[in-house]
Amino acid sequence: MKLNELLAGVDILETTAELSLEITGVSYDSRLTKPGDLFVAVAGYETDGHRFIPMAREKGAVCVLCQQKPEGEGPYVLVSDSRAAMARLGRNWFGDPAASMVMVGITGTNGKTTTTYLLKDVLEKCLGAKVGLIGTNQNMIGDEVLHTERTTPESFELQGLFRAMADAGCTHVVMEVSSHALCLKRVAGIRFSVGMFTNLSQDHLDFHGTMEAYCDAKALLFRQSERGVYNADDPWSARLTKDAPCPLLSFGEQAGDLRADNIRLAVDGVSFDASLAGETVSVHVGIPGGFTVYNALGVLAAAVALGISPADAARALASSAGVKGRVEVVPVPWDYTVLIDYAVTPDAIENVLSTVRDFARGRVVILFGCGGDRDRGKRPKMGRIAAQMADFVVVTSDNPRTEDPDFIISEILPGLEGTSTPYVVEPDRVKAIHYALDHARPKDVIILAGKGHETYQIIGHEKRHLDEREVVAAYIAEHTERA
């Protein structure tokens, strides 16, 4: 592709490059740069790509796109925002594939993953659509599963994924849109047919600084959506929707255009009556927990915004399966229950504990930790909620990253101290799981919180294999052999 074709729509401040230059690839990681590439120097969250311009040139980059004039010889294109420019480069390089598909973006602290899976199912059943999915657990093209490293890929990779989806015949894409992705312009230039806001609770304040800034980041989604749906019961919804430029449809239990009444919670899921503009339909979703009501309402609202009737969407939801790592039951041969859930925020811990309280016949035991190099303010809050809502707590390690696991735990414990809830501390997560299983009583429900779908633990900068399903299975095998 010629450089001038690649730069179409990019606001250029200055260039020393020949615009007829042939570009054979685009890179933003100097380690992956190949001869013939345009290297994009991105001012990153942890490091500045401008430092690696010399390395990229050594590896064969024929031109550099940057927002600071580079040192040394070589052609460059100067722009005011290299992240925004890279998003445009991706659209140009891959032929703007998102424009040929119906795009749905879902943002919020909790519920994004389950909501994307449920909505994908509804679109497939109601429209016969082939749906692409992008999210925390995995990416999917129809039924094909693709590995993912982050909730929302970097903008150039994202456009490549859209291209693969469009080429495979996808008509719709349902994707999680993180606050990081919105702030860092990973989804810049994408026009969403529907944008959805699920809820807001404390998370990522290490990046955003304040809850207000976190909320305002989420609100960016509605600025590039044709229609918006949002949780009217969430206290942040008023701020988030204040300047939304698109038509909005709200949902909730206490307020909203789409309302849930006669809610019934059970071990096998939730049931309720959904009412919109005088029409009422019965809804059942086979995922337990009060938060499932909100996830289902969001899916119904998005379906309506896409032209699907509430009755058709409700019928599709009735046969939807659960999501890996979200209140996932791990089979054990004994008279207690083990659940795996990706609860990594105070609100998520409260949700899963509330869910289990709905059907638990014995003690509720929760095992959890907090991620390192992330928002430290939520650590004692998670401890306090665990102490208030569980009967026994096992405090352990999550993804400590570059922090000392013992230090992370020391910041969780103030939330438990002074309460009557018994707890133990075991920094080794596998040993902690063994402890919980060793001390399980009949009818107990044991929640392994924090890892969910993840099959690894990040220690330092290394990902070490850790699948809690395998840990439980190995425990069962060992104790069955002994018996």
Side-chain angles (χ1 to χ4, degrees):
M1 179 179 284
K2 301 294 185 184
L3 182 59
N4 63 323
E5 297 172 327
L6 185 57
L7 294 173
V10 175
D11 186 16
I12 300 170
L13 300 180
E14 178 184 321
T15 182
T16 62
E18 290 290 338
L19 294 180
S20 61
L21 184 65
E22 187 69 30
I23 302 296
T24 58
V26 176
S27 61
Y28 58 91
D29 184 336
S30 59
R31 295 167 297 183
L32 304 178
T33 299
K34 298 180 179 63
D37 276 5
L38 170 68
F39 175 71
V40 183
V42 176
Y45 182 38
E46 295 181 347
T47 189
D48 188 346
H50 291 80
R51 293 171 48 203
F52 303 102
I53 290 175
M55 181 185 295
R57 283 176 168 160
E58 286 177 10
K59 299 194 75 170
V62 294
C63 185
V64 170
L65 185 145
C66 49
Q67 61 188 52
Q68 302 167 18
K69 284 188 179 182
E71 297 179 359
E73 298 295 325
Y76 66 86
V77 176
L78 187 67
V79 298
S80 60
D81 187 334
S82 56
R83 282 194 174 276
M86 185 164 68
R88 184 70 199 200
L89 294 179
R91 291 167 61 195
N92 294 341
W93 184 264
F94 292 105
D96 199 7
S100 67
M101 298 180 288
V102 177
M103 307 294 297
V104 180
I106 299 171
T107 197
T109 306
N110 299 308
K112 298 188 297 297
T113 298
T114 300
T115 301
T116 56
Y117 278 83
L118 292 177
L119 184 55
K120 179 178 185 288
D121 205 27
V122 167
L123 294 174
E124 290 170 341
K125 291 172 180 173
C126 292
L127 302 179
K130 185 168 185 177
V131 183
L133 180 144
I134 299 172
T136 306
N137 274 20
Q138 59 194 15
N139 299 329
M140 300 180 72
I141 299 178
D143 295 328
E144 180 188 359
V145 175
L146 308 174
H147 177 67
T148 182
E149 288 291 340
R150 51 164 67 103
T151 300
T152 312
E154 195 57 78
S155 61
F156 196 82
E157 299 166 348
L158 185 61
Q159 293 295 331
L161 187 54
F162 291 155
R163 180 74 273 158
M165 290 176 172
D167 289 348
C170 289
T171 56
H172 293 67
V173 174
V174 179
M175 64 180 293
E176 297 181 46
V177 182
S178 67
S179 55
H180 290 72
L182 288 159
C183 286
L184 298 177
K185 299 181 174 65
R186 292 178 192 156
V187 293
I190 300 169
R191 192 66 182 167
F192 293 96
S193 294
V194 176
M196 181 195 300
F197 166 67
T198 61
N199 52 60
L200 196 76
S201 61
Q202 184 173 337
D203 200 14
H204 304 307
L205 295 193
D206 56 305
F207 180 83
H208 296 289
T210 66
M211 285 297 293
E212 288 75 15
Y214 183 29
C215 178
D216 294 344
K218 296 290 189 187
L220 294 172
L221 179 62
F222 285 165
R223 297 186 190 175
Q224 55 193 95
S225 298
E226 294 173 7
R227 294 175 295 280
V229 298
Y230 70 94
N231 179 356
D233 289 346
D234 190 278
W236 289 95
S237 63
R239 180 185 180 100
L240 188 134
T241 59
K242 181 181 177 183
D243 297 316
C246 60
L248 299 173
L249 177 67
S250 60
F251 61 86
E253 295 178 14
Q254 283 80 46
D257 304 308
L258 176 65
R259 295 281 293 275
D261 297 303
N262 302 319
I263 298 169
R264 300 170 296 283
L265 307 178
V267 177
D268 64 344
V270 303
S271 300
F272 61 92
D273 295 329
S275 301
L276 175 67
E279 179 184 359
T280 300
V281 297
S282 296
V283 180
H284 175 79
V285 184
I287 303 173
F291 58 87
T292 298
V293 176
Y294 283 103
N295 292 341
L297 284 171
V299 170
L300 289 171
V304 168
L306 292 169
I308 300 170
S309 73
D312 287 344
R315 279 191 289 271
L317 280 173
S319 59
S320 293
V323 180
K324 183 179 180 180
R326 268 61 178 180
V327 200
E328 177 187 351
V329 178
V330 181
V332 294
W334 303 295
D335 187 23
Y336 58 81
T337 302
V338 177
L339 301 176
I340 291 178
D341 190 79
Y342 186 65
V344 294
T345 67
D347 189 52
I349 289 283
E350 183 174 356
N351 282 340
V352 71
L353 285 168
S354 177
T355 293
V356 171
R357 281 291 177 202
D358 291 337
F359 60 79
R361 295 174 296 154
R363 295 183 310 163
V364 175
V365 178
I366 188 165
L367 176 151
F368 80 101
C370 291
D373 303 332
R374 297 295 186 268
D375 178 13
R376 293 169 55 188
K378 68 183 181 181
R379 294 171 183 175
K381 295 180 180 179
M382 291 171 68
R384 184 171 65 253
I385 291 168
Q388 290 172 343
M389 300 186 68
D391 299 304
F392 193 89
V393 179
V394 181
V395 184
T396 186
S397 186
D398 193 285
N399 290 323
R401 299 183 178 86
T402 64
E403 283 195 73
D404 179 355
D406 290 325
F407 175 75
I408 296 172
I409 289 171
S410 75
E411 295 199 321
I412 296 172
L413 293 181
L416 291 110
E417 292 167 354
T419 72
S420 60
T421 303
Y423 67 90
V424 297
V425 173
E426 173 50 71
D428 185 303
R429 194 170 180 99
V430 172
K431 290 181 180 179
I433 293 171
H434 288 172
Y435 180 92
L437 299 178
D438 283 341
H439 294 82
R441 302 174 186 173
K443 314 301 182 190
D444 278 359
V445 179
I446 300 171
I447 307 164
L448 308 181
K451 301 303 295 174
H453 62 282
E454 293 179 351
T455 56
Y456 56 81
Q457 188 174 32
I458 305 174
I459 299 176
H461 296 287
E462 178 187 356
K463 278 188 177 181
R464 301 182 185 178
H465 181 76
L466 176 61
D467 187 330
E468 294 185 331
R469 297 154 198 80
E470 295 175 3
V471 174
V472 174
Y475 179 92
I476 293 170
E478 180 182 350
H479 287 73
T480 302
E481 287 175 5
R482 287 179 181 176

